[in-house]
Amino acid sequence: MNRERKPKGERRAARYGRVSGDKQAKEGTIDSQLSLLRERIEADGFAVEEELCFIDDGVSGSTLVRPALERLRDQAAAGAFDLLYVLAPDRLARRYAHQMVLIEELQACGVEIVFVNRPLGATPEDQLLLQVQGVVAEYERAKILERTRRGRLYAARCGRVSVLGHAPYGYRYIDKHSGGGVAAYEVVEDEAHLVRQVFAWVAYDGCSLREVARRLAQRGVPTRHGQSRWDPSTIAGMLRNPAYHGQAAYGKRRMEERRLRLRPRRGQPEVPKNPRTPHRQPAAEHIVIAVPALVDADLFAAAQERLAENRRRLRASQRGARYLLQGLAVCGCCGYALHGAFSGRSREKDYTYYRCIGTEAWRFGGQRFCENPAQRMEDLEAAVWNDVCALLSEPERLRQEFERRQQSPNSESALAESHRLRGAIRKVKQNISRLIDAYADGLLETGEFEPRIRRLKDRLAKLEGEMQALHMQVREDEETRLVFSHLDDFADQMKAGLNTVEWSQRREILRALVKRVEVDKQNIRIVYKVPERPFVKGPNGALLQDCWSRRIRTPWPNGWPSTRRPAQVSHQGVVGTETIVQRRALCKVLCTMVA
């Protein structure tokens, strides 16, 4: 939507700054951007408003999912500002396509974009220059990543410690400037003695990881960061680190796409700074770098055997999810997760509660972090499930969803995407055939042939995977269409099926519909994943991109205990990037339930 141009005195200016790495964020390079933007805004005669300052510290510009950028787009859609000052196009996005998407979206909202390094004109030449800058920025980022990767790989194969960057417990990292041009590991004798003791406890005494943690706590040994409590996962990482027997490994992890989580960790944003996350790689792909050894190879091997034996004889339950709200329930007071806890046995039945992690004093050095009391499992699960059933049992909502699916051009877009993928697969296969013929005729050397054929095969595998995913999506949409074709019967069957659905299907429905369940001393707040379109009309007529909410009062199903008051259950819908995937999963579960 285009808004009318306001007089200069009534126009509001916003500014956006971004740096890519945490190192740049710590060095304060974002402050220089904001300073230049402030000077330019004041020179243009506008007021600098701190509430219209959007900053992404240490967030990659290769993705559009950034916390400050999301708020900026919301405010632009609501008409909160009229001008946006950015240092350069590559600060807005590192990909040319993303730059064009953001510029067109902001201009459609009536926002004028001002780049400090150059004006954004309306002539074809200015548009061409902007596009060239976007393409160059994307090319520059790709070249930097490729050069960095190749440089580190070469240094690792040459056995240089500098590629490791830091040293584990027991060593001190000496950088190139302090080590006379060569980085190295220096042994810290006090820590090295403790490392040898830990290996001996596990290899010779057969101690478990928690037993090692208890012994370290009894001796009062602090961690490298000064903590009094050792985490068993930290000890496991120490015991598996090959650097301690003289063979440090490079390439143990590889950056891959971040996997979807039910909810963010406590204290972490819902939108992560980096869309990629490290994943473990097999030992065959590691590159060995020689470092000083703290334990001999026999002791290291004995510790690995003991770890494997403990893992085989682990008595802990491996049954998976045991509670309906497991992974969804969080404490509304402190933000920690709620977990199921068995609290004793009566003559008639067992009692199980949802308890906040913050109420367990042993996790926090003997002092409770939260005072939120435990909740009966049956009551909490029944309250949430009944509310979900009420939401799913609204025939009008089902009818609107069915009509929306009938009007959406999914079949046409899927057909066009299928034609595009078939054409791309055919071209890649032709290129592979030509490349093999050229190699057979002696026109290409082995060093040129292998990387080219590898890239083409990877491209072919990716395209075939996309084609398979598209076929699965079309098949699921067709199944959903057949079920929704008899809407009234479907609604009646679903109402009856919700009362008799199995526990595993209940859990799948909750995971597909509910984002989180917040429980405090008096209230339950259910946050739903609502499949609405962005920029929908809110209650006051304004445009909302992220969420809507409503409130009702509902008592607990089996009666509230005498010491507690009825809970106020509030509902909030949130539009997230996983909405389409979760909606498809929900439809699949419902179709199976009423089949």
Side-chain angles (χ1 to χ4, degrees):
M1 64 175 182
N2 293 316
R3 299 194 297 263
E4 295 182 359
R5 186 180 182 89
K6 300 178 182 178
K8 185 174 182 179
E10 300 179 4
R11 304 179 75 189
R12 303 179 66 188
R15 49 180 175 159
Y16 176 77
R18 181 191 64 81
V19 292
S20 299
D22 293 333
K23 181 178 179 181
Q24 292 175 309
K26 293 178 181 179
E27 292 176 353
T29 56
I30 191 69
D31 296 332
S32 61
Q33 291 187 37
L34 299 179
S35 177
L36 292 174
L37 296 176
R38 175 187 292 271
E39 293 176 1
R40 176 61 183 274
I41 293 175
E42 292 177 348
D44 291 347
F46 296 102
V48 179
E49 303 181 39
E50 294 301 328
E51 62 270 16
L52 294 179
C53 180
F54 304 95
I55 304 173
D56 278 321
D57 268 357
V59 184
S60 173
S62 61
T63 176
L64 287 177
V65 185
R66 299 174 235 155
L69 183 62
E70 290 287 291
R71 296 196 307 272
L72 184 149
R73 297 168 73 180
D74 295 340
Q75 295 293 329
F81 58 89
D82 305 281
L83 293 97
L84 176 63
Y85 284 81
V86 187
L87 182 64
D90 62 344
R91 297 300 90 195
L92 193 62
R94 271 288 190 177
R95 293 183 178 179
Y96 163 69
H98 291 174
Q99 289 182 10
M100 294 297 101
V101 168
L102 292 175
I103 291 174
E104 291 181 1
E105 177 183 322
L106 294 173
Q107 288 178 346
C109 295
V111 177
E112 180 182 349
I113 305 176
V114 180
F115 293 119
V116 175
N117 67 336
R118 61 171 298 276
L120 180 61
T123 64
E125 291 78 9
D126 291 332
Q127 295 295 325
L128 176 61
L129 181 59
L130 177 63
Q131 296 172 9
V132 170
Q133 282 187 335
V135 173
V136 170
E138 184 175 353
Y139 172 76
E140 178 188 8
R141 179 179 181 275
K143 291 298 291 183
I144 291 174
L145 293 177
E146 178 63 17
R147 290 170 181 169
T148 303
R149 185 192 67 82
R150 291 175 61 87
R152 289 179 177 175
L153 189 61
Y154 175 77
R157 289 171 177 170
C158 294
R160 298 175 185 173
V161 180
S162 58
V163 298
L164 301 175
H166 66 280
Y169 190 86
Y171 297 98
R172 181 184 297 110
Y173 179 72
I174 306 299
D175 57 18
K176 294 189 293 184
H177 301 287
S178 303
V182 178
Y185 276 4
E186 182 180 83
V187 177
V188 181
E189 290 300 334
D190 295 338
E191 296 181 357
H193 175 73
L194 180 63
V195 171
R196 299 186 187 99
Q197 184 65 67
V198 169
F199 272 89
W201 283 341
V202 175
Y204 301 144
D205 298 347
C207 294
S208 64
L209 299 178
R210 294 188 180 276
E211 175 62 23
V212 174
R214 284 192 289 268
R215 292 188 180 186
L216 293 176
Q218 292 173 359
R219 293 192 176 191
V221 179
T223 65
R224 169 166 287 184
H225 299 288
Q227 302 295 327
S228 59
R229 178 178 175 273
W230 286 75
D231 192 273
S233 62
T234 302
I235 301 173
M238 178 187 299
L239 293 170
R240 296 189 180 98
N241 194 339
Y244 290 118
H245 71 97
Q247 297 181 352
Y250 174 80
K252 293 187 291 185
R253 298 176 182 271
R254 178 180 298 172
M255 299 298 293
E256 298 178 0
E257 294 297 329
R258 185 178 296 272
R259 299 168 184 169
L260 292 178
R261 296 180 58 89
L262 282 178
R263 54 178 176 78
R265 291 188 177 93
R266 178 180 179 272
Q268 299 295 324
E270 293 189 8
V271 180
K273 289 185 175 181
N274 196 334
R276 301 168 67 84
T277 183
H279 293 272
R280 292 182 179 274
Q281 298 300 308
E285 298 183 9
H286 299 174
I287 299 177
V288 177
I289 300 175
V291 295
L294 299 186
V295 299
D296 55 44
D298 294 336
L299 179 59
F300 186 85
Q304 306 311 305
E305 293 179 2
R306 173 54 59 180
L307 288 176
E309 183 67 18
N310 290 347
R311 194 181 304 110
R312 282 194 297 268
R313 298 180 180 276
L314 182 66
R315 296 179 180 269
S317 174
Q318 303 291 339
R319 289 175 291 180
R322 300 175 56 189
Y323 305 103
L324 194 63
L325 302 180
Q326 184 172 336
L328 294 175
V330 296
C331 178
C333 299
C334 65
Y336 278 107
L338 299 183
H339 68 93
F342 177 74
S343 296
R345 182 187 300 271
S346 68
R347 294 181 179 180
E348 294 81 11
K349 59 180 300 186
D350 299 338
Y351 288 97
T352 308
Y353 294 81
Y354 280 102
R355 180 183 299 165
C356 174
I357 291 178
T359 62
E360 299 175 345
W362 63 271
R363 296 178 182 268
F364 305 96
Q367 185 176 0
R368 299 178 66 177
F369 187 84
C370 180
E371 299 296 333
N372 194 8
Q375 310 289 346
R376 284 284 298 273
M377 181 190 69
E378 296 85 354
D379 295 340
L380 182 59
E381 291 182 352
V384 175
W385 177 248
N386 291 338
D387 195 79
V388 170
C389 292
L391 180 68
L392 291 175
S393 300
E394 299 179 11
E396 186 61 29
R397 181 178 293 271
L398 292 175
R399 187 176 301 277
Q400 293 176 0
E401 175 67 12
F402 171 69
E403 293 176 353
R404 187 196 62 79
R405 287 177 175 270
Q406 289 292 94
Q407 296 173 1
S408 61
N410 288 338
S411 58
E412 297 180 2
S413 60
L415 183 60
E417 182 68 11
S418 177
H419 287 319
R420 186 190 68 82
L421 290 175
R422 287 196 182 95
I425 291 175
R426 184 171 58 255
K427 289 182 180 179
V428 172
K429 289 182 177 180
Q430 291 176 355
N431 291 337
I432 291 177
S433 178
R434 293 171 183 171
L435 192 62
I436 294 176
D437 292 341
Y439 179 71
D441 295 339
L443 301 178
L444 288 177
E445 298 293 336
T446 304
E448 295 178 315
F449 172 76
E450 291 181 352
R452 292 186 182 181
I453 195 68
R454 190 183 307 114
R455 285 195 298 268
L456 288 175
K457 288 183 177 180
D458 293 343
R459 174 65 175 166
L460 180 61
K462 181 179 179 181
L463 291 173
E464 290 178 345
E466 293 179 0
M467 177 66 75
Q468 183 178 3
L470 181 62
H471 289 333
M472 293 179 61
Q473 177 183 349
V474 172
R475 185 162 55 251
E476 291 176 358
D477 291 343
E478 181 65 20
E479 294 175 358
T480 305
R481 188 188 65 80
L482 293 176
V483 173
F484 274 96
S485 60
H486 301 83
L487 185 60
D488 296 333
D489 295 340
F490 176 80
D492 295 338
Q493 293 180 28
M494 192 176 67
K495 288 181 181 179
L498 286 174
N499 298 325
T500 59
V501 66
E502 296 180 357
W503 185 90
S504 59
Q505 290 183 329
R506 287 192 180 190
R507 178 168 169 79
E508 291 185 23
I509 292 175
L510 288 176
R511 289 166 62 93
L513 268 181
V514 178
K515 191 176 185 67
R516 64 181 177 274
V517 178
E518 299 177 359
V519 182
D520 58 20
K521 296 181 179 180
Q522 296 182 353
N523 302 321
I524 308 171
R525 181 169 177 265
I526 305 175
V527 183
Y528 285 101
K529 299 173 182 175
V530 178
E532 296 286 352
R533 294 175 60 85
F535 303 107
V536 297
K537 291 287 185 180
N540 57 355
L543 291 175
L544 301 177
Q545 186 182 3
D546 50 325
C547 67
W548 60 269
S549 63
R550 61 186 174 93
R551 285 181 176 272
I552 60 173
R553 294 187 62 85
T554 302
W556 286 78
N558 298 330
W560 194 263
S562 58
T563 57
R564 303 288 296 280
R565 291 181 294 176
Q568 176 171 299
V569 183
S570 65
H571 310 72
Q572 178 178 347
V574 177
V575 173
T577 55
E578 74 279 9
T579 301
I580 298 176
V581 178
Q582 299 291 349
R583 184 195 305 157
R584 186 179 298 122
L586 174 63
C587 291
K588 185 176 182 180
V589 173
L590 294 180
C591 294
T592 304
M593 184 181 66
V594 301

